[in-house]
Amino acid sequence: MTWSLENSKNDEASKIRWELVPYFHGRVLDIGCGAYKAFPHFIGVDNGHHWGSKGVDVKIKDAGDLSLFSTQSCDAIFSSHLLEHIEYERVSTVLNEWFRVVKKGGYVILYLPDSEQYPKCGSKHANPDHKFDVTYENIVDALEKTNYSWDMTDYQVRNNGDEYSLYFVVKKI
């Protein structure tokens, strides 16, 4: 399905919640959680810009600065529909910081609007806060620019029902 105003719910994580279960145990950060964390036991991390502090456990100014969290202190990071709000030139730096916080063998899971299914930046109905159009290639390129070794455990184009997104499961090795 292609994005439409009718299928945009501002709770994108709910669309893939059950896909996440095999990868999440222990301490999990939900970065950019907005008002809705994927699961109540996740640590909601957000700047509160769009939705205020509802659902937010830790308020930060920048998703690329997780200095409140020690190196390898989390088992996983989940982020839904956040990276596209960051200038593409910074995405690899942000991902590098996320990998720093995740333990070896842990996961970084990304759920992002697919540029093939979502309005392109600057076009009608596109989110004016989006800084780049997400593709498989530009996310893999950003991952390759990090200082960490990783393995793509799962990748899906999610276009059933009201979905219009790409799903990446990346294991830190």
Side-chain angles (χ1 to χ4, degrees):
M1 165 174 272
T2 301
W3 178 89
S4 70
L5 288 172
E6 294 76 35
N7 67 15
S8 178
K9 298 179 180 171
N10 297 322
D11 182 15
E12 295 301 315
S14 69
K15 297 175 183 179
I16 58 157
R17 175 176 290 121
W18 302 111
E19 294 279 340
L20 307 175
V21 172
Y23 307 105
F24 292 145
H25 60 283
R27 189 179 200 191
V28 179
L29 301 183
D30 187 341
I31 301 179
C33 65
Y36 309 100
K37 293 186 287 191
F39 286 101
H41 67 282
F42 287 7
I43 300 168
V45 178
D46 201 288
N47 66 8
H49 172 71
H50 290 294
W51 313 110
S53 296
K54 179 184 175 191
V56 178
D57 300 305
V58 177
K59 192 169 182 179
I60 61 172
K61 291 183 180 182
D62 183 350
D65 179 7
L66 299 180
S67 58
L68 290 170
F69 300 95
S70 299
T71 299
Q72 296 192 56
S73 62
C74 296
D75 297 287
I77 286 179
F78 170 65
S79 184
S80 173
H81 291 252
L82 169 70
L83 282 181
E84 69 276 9
H85 294 269
I86 297 168
E87 295 81 6
Y88 182 72
E89 297 74 29
R90 290 192 57 229
V91 170
S92 61
T93 302
V94 170
L95 289 171
N96 200 65
E97 175 69 349
W98 294 3
F99 276 121
R100 179 192 66 78
V101 171
V102 172
K103 295 175 183 174
K104 187 175 180 181
Y107 295 92
V108 173
I109 299 184
L110 308 171
Y111 188 58
L112 304 165
D114 180 4
S115 68
E116 295 299 316
Q117 303 177 72
Y118 189 85
K120 304 275 191 280
C121 288
S123 67
K124 185 178 181 181
H125 298 302
N127 186 326
D129 289 340
H130 287 190
K131 307 291 189 230
F132 72 99
D133 297 314
V134 176
T135 65
Y136 171 85
E137 292 79 14
N138 62 20
I139 296 303
V140 169
D141 182 58
L143 287 164
E144 288 176 347
K145 291 177 180 172
T146 67
N147 298 327
Y148 296 92
S149 298
W150 53 272
D151 182 46
M152 184 84 63
T153 303
D154 193 4
Y155 166 73
Q156 298 175 28
V157 175
R158 305 286 298 198
N159 57 5
N160 294 320
D162 61 356
E163 289 186 84
Y164 47 86
S165 301
L166 302 177
Y167 175 70
F168 300 83
V169 178
V170 183
K171 183 176 186 177
K172 181 179 175 182
I173 53 175

